[in-house]
Amino acid sequence: MNFQRVTIGLIVLLVAGLAGSFYMNWKTLRLLQTTKAFVESAVFAEAVAACEKAQSTTPFKWNGGKQTAVIGLGSVRLNKDTVIASYTLFADGVYCDFNPIKRTADIGSNFLERELF
């Protein structure tokens, strides 16, 4: 009888612990999404301006573009100490990566073959 009570108690604690961990994970993900949305909205105008001013053989025209999209904020980890952030915009077949730290823009036409900062 004591074995059954101990087993049921452990199962209840396990379920409560799992529920608590899933809840904390959910809260953390919502906080990170909110922070990411805030950073993206703060960087957007500067990214558009830098991308339109960037020198390239393929011009980047956000204003007046027929097909525009915000790819969003991303990052590339070069090694364990270096993370490079980039904010990517797409306008009429041209991709532009904006580095919010260095405030530089790089334009490319193929998403997979672009050189990141």
Side-chain angles (χ1 to χ4, degrees), residues 4 31 38 52 65 82 87 95 101 104:
Q4 291 174 343
L31 181 63
F38 176 76
E52 287 186 342
T82 307
Y87 186 74
Y95 290 90
I101 306 298
T104 58

Side-chain angles (χ1 to χ4, degrees), residues 21-93:
S21 69
F22 283 121
Y23 175 75
M24 293 302 292
N25 187 30
W26 176 77
K27 291 286 282 184
T28 303
L29 287 176
R30 296 294 83 77
L31 181 63
L32 287 174
Q33 286 178 343
T34 303
T35 304
K36 182 179 177 186
F38 176 76
V39 169
E40 286 181 349
S41 66
V43 170
F44 176 74
E46 191 175 352
V48 169
C51 287
E52 287 186 342
K53 291 178 185 176
Q55 298 295 324
S56 176
T57 58
T58 56
F60 184 86
K61 300 290 183 194
W62 181 266
N63 297 321
K66 294 178 183 173
Q67 182 183 11
T68 60
V70 176
I71 305 298
L73 188 65
S75 63
V76 176
R77 181 178 288 271
L78 296 178
N79 58 36
K80 67 178 186 172
D81 298 327
T82 307
V83 175
I84 297 174
S86 70
Y87 186 74
T88 306
L89 300 172
F90 173 80
D92 296 333

